[in-house]
């Protein structure tokens, strides 16, 4: 499992460089994780610059979010563990602070609808542009257990989602692997950017 941890850590480091390089994780914002085969989770250490991650900046937690190596995980760790509990096939969770997701949360209160975009086919299970998905928007909350519960309750009520936005903050998405989750970050941020331009133009 040590080799697997090293591999997941390497993937998270590369994802961090890519995401920061696109301007999607300014300062020390964002947090990334990947699940190991034994159920443990590799996750970024709290307060680390995501464009300059090293192996020492990736730590291990258990499925409940407890540190297994004495390091301090992200304050938003429970948002990761709740997704892993909800989706057994998810292998990675990525949380960037992208400009477009942040801006859109100023235009919309509860949800963003993405419809009839070709790039929706980058998301799992979608094979046509004739698709409509809803990305929920949750109010920012420093009480992470409460926020995680709200997300879980939303999924329980409305069904599976591809990601969600935290207002004035950023967004979460996930995938079977770090590579898949990064593809979803790319696709969603592109669509968020288009929507922010569209609605920004329309705003009086």
């Amino acid at each position: 499992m040590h080799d697997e941890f090293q591999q997941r850590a390497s993937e998270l480091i590369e994802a961090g460089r890519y995401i920061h390089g696109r301007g999607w994780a300014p300062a020390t914002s964002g947090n990334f994780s990947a699940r190991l085969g034994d159920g443990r989770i590799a996750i970024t250490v709290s307060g680390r610059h995501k464009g300059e991650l090293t192996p020492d900046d990736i730590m291990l937690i258990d499925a409940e979010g407890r540190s297994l190596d004495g390091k301090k995980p992200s304050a938003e760790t429970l948002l990761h563990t709740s997704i892993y509990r909800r989706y057994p096939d998810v292998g990675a969770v990525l949380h960037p602070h992208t400009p477009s997701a942040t801006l859109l949360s100023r235009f919309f209160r509860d949800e963003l609808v993405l419809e009839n975009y070709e790039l929706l086919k980058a998301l799992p299970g979608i094979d046509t542009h004739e698709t409509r998905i809803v990305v929920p928007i949750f109010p920012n909350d420093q009480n992470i257990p409460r926020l995680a519960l709200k997300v879980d309750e939303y999924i329980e009520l409305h069904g599976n989602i591809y990601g969600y936005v935290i207002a004035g903050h950023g967004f979460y998405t996930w995938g079977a692997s770090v590579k898949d989750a990064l593809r979803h970050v790319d696709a969603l941020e592109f669509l968020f950017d288009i929507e922010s331009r569209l609605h920004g133009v329309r705003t009086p």
Side-chain angles (χ1 to χ4, degrees):
M1 280 299 171
H2 181 66
D3 289 343
E4 185 186 9
F5 170 73
Q6 289 182 322
Q7 179 60 35
R8 298 290 88 77
S10 177
E11 292 169 359
L12 293 174
I13 289 168
E14 288 302 312
R17 289 174 180 164
Y18 178 80
I19 288 172
H20 180 266
R22 299 297 298 270
W24 297 343
T28 59
S29 65
N31 37 77
F32 316 136
S33 70
R35 178 156 50 182
L36 278 61
D38 62 3
R40 293 180 301 164
I41 298 164
I43 192 168
T44 46
V45 174
S46 178
R48 297 300 198 267
H49 188 293
K50 304 311 178 297
E52 301 175 356
L53 293 172
T54 69
D56 194 51
D57 298 321
I58 310 297
M59 62 176 294
L60 278 170
I61 58 173
D62 65 15
E64 302 304 316
R66 294 181 291 251
S67 174
L68 295 174
D69 53 19
K71 297 179 182 178
K72 181 182 178 182
S74 165
E76 297 168 16
T77 293
L78 294 183
L79 298 177
H80 291 252
T81 57
S82 64
I83 290 298
Y84 290 124
R85 279 195 299 273
R86 169 64 62 173
Y87 297 117
D89 294 334
V90 164
V93 178
L94 300 178
H95 169 47
H97 286 215
T98 65
S100 298
T102 305
L103 182 59
L104 280 174
S105 70
R106 301 301 190 190
F107 293 152
F108 300 95
R109 180 183 297 274
D110 299 315
E111 63 182 30
L112 171 66
V113 175
L114 301 174
E115 189 170 12
N116 293 325
Y117 284 114
E118 181 71 13
L119 203 58
L120 286 170
K121 293 193 290 185
L123 302 174
I126 297 178
D127 57 9
T128 174
H129 70 279
E130 296 177 327
T131 300
R132 178 184 188 274
I133 72 166
V134 174
V135 179
I137 301 172
F138 299 98
N140 202 1
D141 193 342
Q142 299 304 303
N143 185 323
I144 299 303
R146 182 169 59 198
L147 178 54
L149 181 59
K150 287 182 180 178
V151 174
D152 201 53
E153 288 175 342
Y154 179 95
I155 297 173
E156 188 69 29
L157 182 62
H158 297 277
N160 291 336
I161 57 176
Y162 293 97
Y164 62 87
V165 174
I166 303 176
H169 187 150
F171 75 95
Y172 274 82
T173 190
W174 43 85
S177 65
V178 174
K179 182 178 180 180
D180 287 340
L182 193 57
R183 185 180 73 249
H184 303 161
V185 168
D186 252 336
L188 287 172
E189 175 58 13
F190 174 86
L191 297 175
F192 293 161
D193 180 51
I194 296 299
E195 287 287 318
S196 67
R197 297 186 197 194
L198 175 64
H199 292 283
V201 168
R202 291 180 175 178
T203 300

